[in-house]
Amino acid sequence: MQVTGRADHPVTGPHRAAALVELHHGETIALTPTGSAKAVAGDDAASILAVLRKHTAVIEESGSVPRRARVP
């Protein structure tokens, strides 16, 4: 699956992932456990990744992705 950053087609890959993103579109979500919250938008890769991290098991991230804060 790939996060595209496009508002009209925010993710490519499984239909269920796209439906999950659509379901949470417009909701406020925390970008990191200790960070700020933001509304989920199709053209915002950070908010899409936050939705996927919260509701699925993200196994690997590559490219220029926002990193999660580490809490000791």
Side-chain angles (χ1 to χ4, degrees), residues 22-34:
E22 181 65 29
L23 177 68
H24 294 284
H25 187 268
E27 292 181 7
T28 302
I29 190 163
L31 298 179
T32 63
T34 59

Side-chain angles (χ1 to χ4, degrees), residues 21-55:
V21 171
E22 181 65 29
L23 177 68
H24 294 284
H25 187 268
E27 292 181 7
T28 302
I29 190 163
L31 298 179
T32 63
T34 59
S36 61
K38 196 172 196 182
V40 177
D43 59 350
D44 181 20
S47 67
I48 300 298
L49 280 171
V51 167
L52 295 172
R53 287 178 186 137
K54 182 176 180 180
H55 297 286

Side-chain angles (χ1 to χ4, degrees), residues 3 5 7 11 14 16 18-21 23-25 35-36 39 41 43 46-47 55 58 61 63 65-69:
V3 177
V11 295
R16 288 182 177 191
L20 178 69
V21 171
L23 177 68
H24 294 284
H25 187 268
S36 61
D43 59 350
S47 67
H55 297 286
V58 176
E61 298 175 13
V65 296
R67 298 290 177 204
R68 296 204 290 187

